Amino acid sequence: MNRYIRVLYKCLQLSWMKVMEYRVNFITWTIVDIGWILMDFVFISALISNIKMIGNWNQAQVIIGLGTFRLLVFPVWGWMFQSFNYLPKSISEGKLDMYLTKPLDAQFLVSFREFSFSIFPSIVGGLGFIVLGISQLEYLPNIIQLIFFVGITIVSIFLIYGIYFSTMTLVLYTDRLNNIANIFTSLYDASRFPKEIYGIFLQRIFTSIIPIALIVVIPAEALFLKPNWLIWVWMLMLAITFNLVGRYLWTEGLKRYSSASS
Amino acid sequence: MKKYWCFLKIGFQVSAAYPASIYFRVIRHSLLVLLFVLLWTALFKIKPEIGGFGLASITTYYILVEIIDIIYTQTPARMLNRDIKTGDLSNYLLKPLDYWKYLLFYTVGQQLSNSSLSILAALVVFIFFPGFVILPSSLIYFVGFFVFSFIAFLISHQILFIVGTWSFYVSEITHIRQGINQLMGLLGGRWIPLSFFPPLAISVLEQLPFTYLFNFPLKIFQQQVSVGQMGRALFVGIIWLTSFLIIGNITWKKGVEKYEAYGF
């Protein structure tokens, strides 16, 4: 376990060094991230100035949902997308051998290969939106709700990783699939709205088979709704299931992998 | 000129050699359209008109945005950056060909392959879900839409070529490239219609070249501009394109003077 923590720390260090090596790149993406935060705010403001409710969320709740969405952008775009983006190219060029021949779990090495620090404004923006939304609520969340919010957000990150990694393993079963890292991020963009906007059938799909309707909504609702233990347990079960499925697809897919360079 | 048509064919073949990528592109674009339509259907149940759009017009907007987005690519910036970083650019400089033309034809070939299935999928939507989309009633708007989409492709291609030439000065431009791409989409109406912005912002954004990338072709398709306005916009669009061509030529020449081949 210590070895994994040390390697993780090293990967973080190397990512930071790379970011500082190409500072213009870093600054540009930081500006882009700030731009996205502003655009989110403009879009939501335009929407809620026209309609008072989205699904069964009022304006304050929509802003909290947006804040949670922005907060989770950090693990999705700052960690998972950065690492997973290399996987299709590694496989097509045979560079996956470098991970498979190391005395560490290859899934760990592939999943924590790189991080981006230019997504940091999203954390600030996300927290800002959450505070803004809470200030417009009729009540303040108590400490228990805040603890549950943190806990369910961690479960949500675990679930996001399971779904994202499972989709990425498809690259082991097909020919070159360079754009697969964008499939999940496209789905993620749609997760910021309450599940009630979908019909009953699609709600079932988006809360089970492709649970994008849970990953942002449930953590956000922990701040302004009563605890719903059933949905939280369901989310934890989904997180475990998707991670197990991803692991299975990964190990089975590696059996099909043949290096391109050796 | 014949050699450049070969590059078009090669670009097409390289992309078509890996069909899984093309299928996933269709899935991704279809998913995005479906999710947008579901969201806006739910929103329009509450209020029938938002920001000047009704359900059919906003659905048409997002379907068309996805169709237009299919034709854009970051390939010019990506390939130029790769060729400069690896030193492969020297190969092209030594050969009797124009690198810009090679890139253009290669990109067109690649996009023809990448986009073919996605455009077919979009046509299926138009045919089987007529209630969700509003087609132009006049042929001139169809023709205008295609003409402006072509101009938009050239503008996008040229902007990204200019971004690619920055690789002569800054070796890593991945995030710069992606950032500029996102910015072009934002300012062009890719993510939200420009009519959702404040009026002052709209008047500024409509003067910028990015409006030709999404906003203006969509306005033509939705018959929100007159033929006279199309003509004026065509003139301005060509001026923007010419300006970007001149800037690209300057940045390319300056960059090549500075270029040092790596890997040799």
Side-chain angles (χ1 to χ4, degrees):
Chain A
M1 187 69 183
N2 276 343
R3 206 164 40 148
Y4 284 89
I5 293 170
R6 281 202 307 273
V7 168
L8 175 61
Y9 177 69
K10 226 7 134 183
C11 289
L12 281 163
Q13 229 179 359
L14 288 168
S15 298
W16 178 252
M17 283 163 62
K18 185 180 173 185
V19 149
M20 286 297 107
E21 178 69 28
Y22 303 111
R23 266 172 255 192
V24 176
N25 217 24
F26 166 67
I27 292 167
T28 309
W29 199 247
T30 306
I31 294 170
V32 167
D33 196 44
I34 294 170
W36 275 112
I37 295 167
L38 292 172
M39 200 211 71
D40 276 346
F41 188 70
V42 165
F43 179 57
I44 289 296
S45 300
L47 264 187
I48 60 180
S49 66
N50 280 278
I51 50 178
K52 301 301 172 201
M53 302 279 288
I54 297 178
N56 59 355
W57 283 2
N58 62 29
Q59 293 179 2
Q61 292 165 342
V62 167
I63 294 172
I64 292 172
L66 177 63
T68 312
F69 170 82
R70 267 289 132 205
L71 215 54
L72 288 170
V73 157
F74 188 74
V76 172
W77 282 95
W79 158 34
M80 295 177 213
F81 178 80
Q82 302 301 321
S83 298
F84 292 153
N85 203 29
Y86 284 100
L87 185 58
K89 203 168 172 217
S90 300
I91 290 169
S92 64
E93 293 178 1
K95 289 179 181 166
L96 192 65
D97 303 358
M98 285 185 52
Y99 300 106
L100 299 177
T101 50
K102 296 278 187 302
L104 280 174
D105 183 63
Q107 182 180 344
F108 171 82
L109 289 172
V110 154
S111 302
F112 294 93
R113 186 194 188 282
E114 190 145 332
F115 299 85
S116 169
F117 297 94
S118 37
I119 309 289
F120 188 72
S122 278
I123 297 180
V124 175
L127 289 171
F129 284 137
I130 289 172
V131 166
L132 178 64
I134 288 173
S135 69
Q136 293 181 7
L137 285 174
E138 287 167 357
Y139 58 88
L140 285 177
N142 56 41
I143 190 77
I144 306 288
Q145 279 178 296
L146 288 172
I147 291 170
F148 279 133
F149 169 73
V150 171
I152 205 72
T153 302
I154 293 170
V155 171
S156 182
I157 294 171
F158 189 38
L159 175 59
I160 290 169
Y161 173 81
I163 301 169
Y164 204 164
F165 187 69
S166 300
T167 50
M168 290 308 301
T169 56
L170 293 175
V171 77
L172 287 165
Y173 296 87
T174 60
D175 51 30
R176 201 168 66 180
L177 204 57
N178 290 339
N179 55 0
I180 192 165
N182 295 316
I183 293 275
F184 177 80
T185 52
S186 303
L187 286 173
Y188 178 71
D189 284 342
S191 65
R192 71 184 89 178
F193 297 109
K195 58 187 182 307
E196 285 75 18
I197 65 167
Y198 307 113
I200 300 291
F201 175 70
L202 281 172
Q203 275 188 50
R204 298 240 149 90
I205 302 281
F206 291 147
T207 55
S208 54
I209 300 169
I210 313 170
I212 56 164
L214 298 178
I215 54 182
V216 171
V217 167
I218 302 305
E221 287 183 345
L223 286 172
F224 52 78
L225 291 182
K226 286 192 185 132
N228 186 341
W229 294 103
L230 205 60
I231 199 83
W232 291 355
V233 169
W234 174 242
M235 207 164 146
L236 183 61
M237 283 171 55
L238 280 174
I240 294 169
T241 305
F242 272 96
N243 276 276
L244 288 173
V245 165
R247 182 69 182 182
Y248 174 76
L249 290 171
W250 172 253
T251 47
E252 288 302 306
L254 282 180
K255 292 175 190 171
R256 301 161 59 95
Y257 171 74
S258 54
S259 171
S261 60
S262 51
Chain B
M1 199 59 191
K2 220 195 281 189
K3 59 192 170 206
Y4 298 109
W5 288 106
C6 287
F7 290 128
L8 189 148
K9 211 164 66 169
I10 290 168
F12 187 92
Q13 287 170 344
V14 165
S15 184
Y18 302 100
S21 222
I22 299 174
Y23 302 145
F24 264 86
R25 189 180 266 246
V26 175
I27 292 170
R28 180 173 164 248
H29 283 285
S30 306
L31 264 173
L32 280 172
V33 170
L34 176 68
L35 290 168
F36 272 123
V37 168
L38 288 172
L39 168 66
W40 286 102
T41 305
L43 294 175
F44 279 109
K45 277 184 190 154
I46 303 164
K47 196 172 176 184
E49 188 246 316
I50 300 172
F53 284 88
L55 178 59
S57 52
I58 199 79
T59 310
T60 306
Y61 186 93
Y62 278 112
I63 290 173
L64 288 172
V65 154
E66 289 306 319
I67 291 175
I68 294 173
D69 191 55
I70 286 164
I71 64 174
Y72 297 142
T73 175
Q74 298 180 38
T75 298
R78 194 172 33 233
M79 280 180 68
L80 185 45
N81 178 236
R82 184 200 62 197
D83 288 341
I84 291 170
K85 277 199 316 192
T86 58
D88 283 347
L89 185 66
S90 307
N91 266 328
Y92 300 100
L93 295 176
L94 293 170
K95 290 187 170 55
L97 61 88
D98 182 308
Y99 186 82
W100 182 86
K101 281 186 194 159
Y102 147 72
L103 210 54
L104 177 66
F105 278 78
Y106 184 91
T107 306
V108 168
Q110 196 180 54
Q111 287 310 94
L112 280 172
S113 173
N114 285 338
S115 318
S116 47
L117 215 52
S118 297
I119 289 177
L120 263 173
L123 286 172
V124 164
V125 169
F126 277 115
I127 294 166
F128 288 101
F129 298 96
F132 272 110
V133 294
I134 304 171
L135 294 175
S137 55
S138 163
L139 184 64
I140 189 103
Y141 288 102
F142 267 114
V143 171
F145 174 72
F146 285 112
V147 167
F148 275 87
S149 295
F150 179 65
I151 291 174
F153 169 76
L154 291 175
I155 290 176
S156 165
H157 182 275
Q158 194 55 23
I159 291 173
L160 285 162
F161 177 78
I162 293 168
V163 171
T165 59
W166 296 348
S167 306
F168 288 118
Y169 307 97
V170 178
S171 51
E172 183 54 62
I173 63 156
T174 306
H175 284 168
I176 298 170
R177 165 172 57 83
Q178 289 170 348
I180 301 274
N181 196 50
Q182 302 274 7
L183 191 68
M184 292 197 314
L186 172 65
L187 300 180
R190 163 82 177 94
W191 306 109
I192 53 174
L194 293 191
S195 58
F196 277 66
F197 286 84
L200 180 62
I202 295 172
S203 59
V204 169
L205 290 173
E206 285 184 344
Q207 306 309 316
L208 298 177
F210 312 113
T211 192
Y212 291 94
L213 299 178
F214 294 97
N215 184 55
F216 202 78
L218 296 182
K219 278 173 112 169
I220 292 172
F221 197 90
Q222 293 178 314
Q223 297 177 153
Q224 291 174 359
V225 295
S226 64
V227 176
Q229 283 174 318
M230 266 201 284
R232 276 192 295 279
L234 183 64
F235 177 69
V236 174
I238 290 171
I239 290 178
W240 276 116
L241 180 59
T242 310
S243 309
F244 284 127
L245 285 168
I246 293 169
I247 294 168
N249 196 34
I250 294 169
T251 55
W252 168 257
K253 283 191 173 143
K254 291 253 181 257
V256 167
E257 281 169 20
K258 193 183 176 302
Y259 173 66
E260 292 172 357
Y262 298 105
F264 277 81

